[in-house]
Amino acid sequence: MKRRMLLSVAGGALTGAVSLRGLSAAVQSVSSQSRRPKLKITDVRTAQIRAHGLQLHVRVYTDQGLVGHGEATDAVVGGASLVAGFRRLLIGQDPLNVDALFERIRTMGIFAGAQGGQYVAALSGVEIALWDLAGKALGLPVYQLLGGKMRDRIRLYCDSQTEDPDDPLTRQRIQQIKDLGFTAVKIDVDDAADPMRWDKVNWTASNAEINRMVRKVEFMRQSLDSRVDLAVDMHGRYDLPTAKRMAAELEQFKLLWLEEPVPAENVDVLADVRHSTKTPICVGENLFLRHGFREVLEKRAADILMPDVQKCGGLLETRKIADMAHTYYVPVAPHCVVSPVGTMASCHVCAAIPNFLVLEWHWMPRLELWRDFVKEGDIIEKGFIAIPDRPGLGVEMNEEAARRAQVPGTPWFAP
Ligand code: MG
């Protein structure tokens, strides 16, 4: 109706200046879907890097020369083989149907472990590469495809790997974290080699171990500016009585969170810990897909969720997890140990979700590699990452630098 009116008005008013046929064609092209790029996936290749553990880089190639780049981590020891297995489900397909391809691969694997672990981590790398590709094909930054951005820059916390009060280098490293401008820091307190651990299998902490852990937190809290938030990670190793004691002991420090005080499998036990303490409890780096987070939310077992974008299912799956969390007024602080490529991918989701809290950064001991890893240089400025408006993820791997960390003997995006 609108078009007919427009053509009628135009036909009456624009005598000679613009032909009716030309205007009609212009209107047609504006309302037509024909500008959607037509692409086909031609190949999927991987490369392996060892930085913070093993990182699997995935590239998806197309018949138009566009290439998407994704990254997966942690549960990726067999990731290259899994991605090679996904290849037949991807080649010849339209890469812009990202969620359909994700669902196709996931449902094809329900008898092959697609509920979590390595299968989902490998799929996460593919999914992120597809979003990078979709952004490049459409000329839009990835955050735009995830709903648009709520913020222009992403707040990071520094996983310090520096918390031993007795290490003479510790103060120097803390000063470096301060100079880099971070507004939040995380330390690890679990220690398998603690000499006061009387049993090498059981993880009930002795009084001496509890005191050591509390002393670390106290030292770090006193070393940092009071405006800098502090989080503490127990790496899911300890048992229920230890978790409850630690959560209570640490209440005095007003932590940003206490992370994985017990292993990830039993959500009821995590809920016991959470309901026993004022210390906020954070969990999620060992959970997969929306299904892994549902029970945690339903049982009110955590104050903060930390999905690992490169492991839990990728960008859209993280957006869906964050949206579920938002209905429980639970903030999201993604776990992140990957290169600047994967970190920037995480930033696009963090930009798009309302309940983003803070994003992990874990490259303190590898600063030089971090700064060289992408052609854009160091993407961090004073503890924040600005979201680029370039198409796709907005960063490109610097191959020469990245190959310094290549796992020896592994293929480098070989056909
Ligand atoms: Mg952790």
Side-chain angles (χ1 to χ4, degrees), residues 13-36:
L14 303 171
T15 47
V18 180
S19 75
L20 192 59
R21 183 182 290 183
L23 186 60
S24 172
V27 172
Q28 286 279 3
S29 80
V30 166
S31 60
S32 156
Q33 293 179 9
S34 65
R35 287 190 298 172
R36 183 184 186 277

Side-chain angles (χ1 to χ4, degrees), residues 157 159 186 188 233-236 257 259-260 285-286 306 335 360:
Y157 70 85
D159 191 309
K186 186 167 89 184
D188 303 332
D233 195 353
M234 291 174 75
H235 284 121
W257 67 69
E259 182 172 323
E260 291 198 306
E285 71 173 280
N286 290 308
M306 54 171 344
H335 183 258
E360 180 170 8

Side-chain angles (χ1 to χ4, degrees), residues 233-289:
D233 195 353
M234 291 174 75
H235 284 121
R237 294 173 125 168
Y238 294 89
D239 59 10
L240 177 61
T242 305
K244 286 166 84 169
R245 285 187 66 193
M246 277 299 291
E249 293 270 359
L250 298 181
E251 282 175 359
Q252 58 182 308
F253 300 112
K254 295 182 181 165
L255 296 182
L256 185 57
W257 67 69
L258 179 63
E259 182 172 323
E260 291 198 306
V262 286
E265 297 90 346
N266 191 325
V267 175
D268 288 305
V269 172
L270 185 69
D272 285 348
V273 179
R274 189 205 168 204
H275 298 137
S276 75
T277 182
K278 286 187 282 187
T279 299
I281 301 297
C282 180
V283 71
E285 71 173 280
N286 290 308
L287 301 175
F288 295 88
L289 303 170

Side-chain angles (χ1 to χ4, degrees), residues 2 38 65 81 103 152 161 170 182 201 213-214 249 256 266 269 298:
K2 268 187 183 167
K38 297 265 187 261
S81 305
E103 201 59 4
D152 295 322
Q161 299 182 282
T170 294
F182 288 100
V201 181
M213 291 193 273
V214 172
E249 293 270 359
L256 185 57
N266 191 325
V269 172
E298 286 176 354

